[in-house]
């Protein structure tokens, strides 16, 4: 379980294919503090640490994860949003994030405003996921608030701190991002589809 509050950025140092999986080696400020078998969010994807050495850690993404996320498009040198799982005695500063990406979205517009940035994304609403105005959305592991919610698109506003401390600063039009929709909204949507007995 995560909060969507990014701890640090990691830089991708190595990508190694293992059958249908990809192993990512990442260098970060928290790599040496991690433990084998620990869960860490990488761009919003919960991955298990399988190796630690020289200030770097390694995680493995299976084929299913690569198909549903943007991890398969990563390249050496890319910056990755990292968050360790939340502690039960800690504050939930963002929102409840599971680290299970629902689908990807395409960034269709980036607007620099006075003191902030507005990003617009298009996603395939046929998969059953929805956004609501002022609701929560997790983009590349970042807990954000939805503005301008449409049937298959939405926007978010980014403050300078988030811009500077996440990989949103490198996001451009046409880039794919990982989306995890609000877990409460997903349960409500599922219940609304059930037949009343």
């Amino acid at each position: 379980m995560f909060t969507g509050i990014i701890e640090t950025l990691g830089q991708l140092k190595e990508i190694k294919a293992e059958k249908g999986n990809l192993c990512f080696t990442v260098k970060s400020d928290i790599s040496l503090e991690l433990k084998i078998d620990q869960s860490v969010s990488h761009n919003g994807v919960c991955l298990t640490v399988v190796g630690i050495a020289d200030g770097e850690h390694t995680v493995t993404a299976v084929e299913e994860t690569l198909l549903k996320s943007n991890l398969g498009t990563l390249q050496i040198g890319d910056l990755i949003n990292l968050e360790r799982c939340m502690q039960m005695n800690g504050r939930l500063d963002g929102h409840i994030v599971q680290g299970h990406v629902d689908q990807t979205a395409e960034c269709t517009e980036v607007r620099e405003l006075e003191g902030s940035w507005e990003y617009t994304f298009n996603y395939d609403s046929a998969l059953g996921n929805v956004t609501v105005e002022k609701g929560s959305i997790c983009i590349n592991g970042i807990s954000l608030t939805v503005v301008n919610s449409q049937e298959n698109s939405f926007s978010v506003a980014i403050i300078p701190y988030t811009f500077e401390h996440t990989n949103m600063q490198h996001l451009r039009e046409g880039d794919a991002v990982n989306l995890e929709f609000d877990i409460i909204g997903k349960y409500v949507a599922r219940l609304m589809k059930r037949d009343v007995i």
Side-chain angles (χ1 to χ4, degrees), residues 22 40 68 117 129 134 158 184:
L22 286 181
V40 179
K68 285 195 172 180
W117 291 260
N129 296 307
K134 304 296 185 276
I158 303 294
I184 297 172

Side-chain angles (χ1 to χ4, degrees), residues 1-163:
M1 195 74 71
F2 305 93
T3 68
I5 303 300
I6 303 305
E7 283 190 72
T8 191
L9 285 168
Q11 186 174 47
L12 186 56
K13 291 297 194 178
E14 183 181 28
I15 304 172
K16 187 167 69 172
E18 286 187 356
K19 298 184 179 179
N21 306 331
L22 286 181
C23 295
F24 300 101
T25 299
V26 180
K27 184 178 182 65
S28 76
D29 295 339
I30 64 171
S31 293
L32 283 177
E33 301 173 26
L34 301 178
K35 298 177 181 177
I36 301 297
D37 206 29
Q38 185 172 356
S39 296
V40 179
S41 172
H42 292 70
N43 276 358
V45 182
C46 179
L47 298 173
T48 301
V49 176
V50 297
I52 301 169
D54 302 322
E56 300 174 350
H57 69 275
T58 301
V59 293
T60 301
V62 299
E63 187 175 7
E64 169 73 7
T65 301
L66 297 172
L67 289 173
K68 285 195 172 180
S69 72
N70 66 4
L71 296 186
T73 66
L74 293 176
Q75 299 178 4
I76 301 297
D78 282 351
L79 295 179
I80 301 171
N81 295 326
L82 300 176
E83 180 193 359
R84 285 174 282 190
C85 58
M86 67 178 293
Q87 296 178 324
M88 293 306 292
N89 63 346
R91 290 187 176 91
L92 183 60
D93 289 323
H95 72 281
I96 297 172
V97 177
Q98 294 183 298
H100 302 159
V101 171
D102 295 301
Q103 63 186 95
T104 58
E106 180 185 352
C107 180
T108 57
E109 185 179 15
V110 179
R111 290 200 309 146
E112 186 171 353
L113 309 175
E114 292 188 18
S116 66
W117 291 260
E118 184 180 85
Y119 292 78
T120 301
F121 301 92
N122 279 3
Y123 67 97
D124 183 4
S125 59
L127 297 178
N129 296 307
V130 297
T131 60
V132 295
E133 296 278 342
K134 304 296 185 276
S136 297
I137 187 75
C138 189
I139 300 176
N140 276 356
I142 310 165
S143 174
L144 296 167
T145 301
V146 173
V147 296
N148 192 26
S149 175
Q150 305 293 325
E151 183 179 354
N152 63 348
S153 70
F154 66 91
S155 300
V156 293
I158 303 294
I159 63 173
Y161 183 90
T162 303
F163 184 84

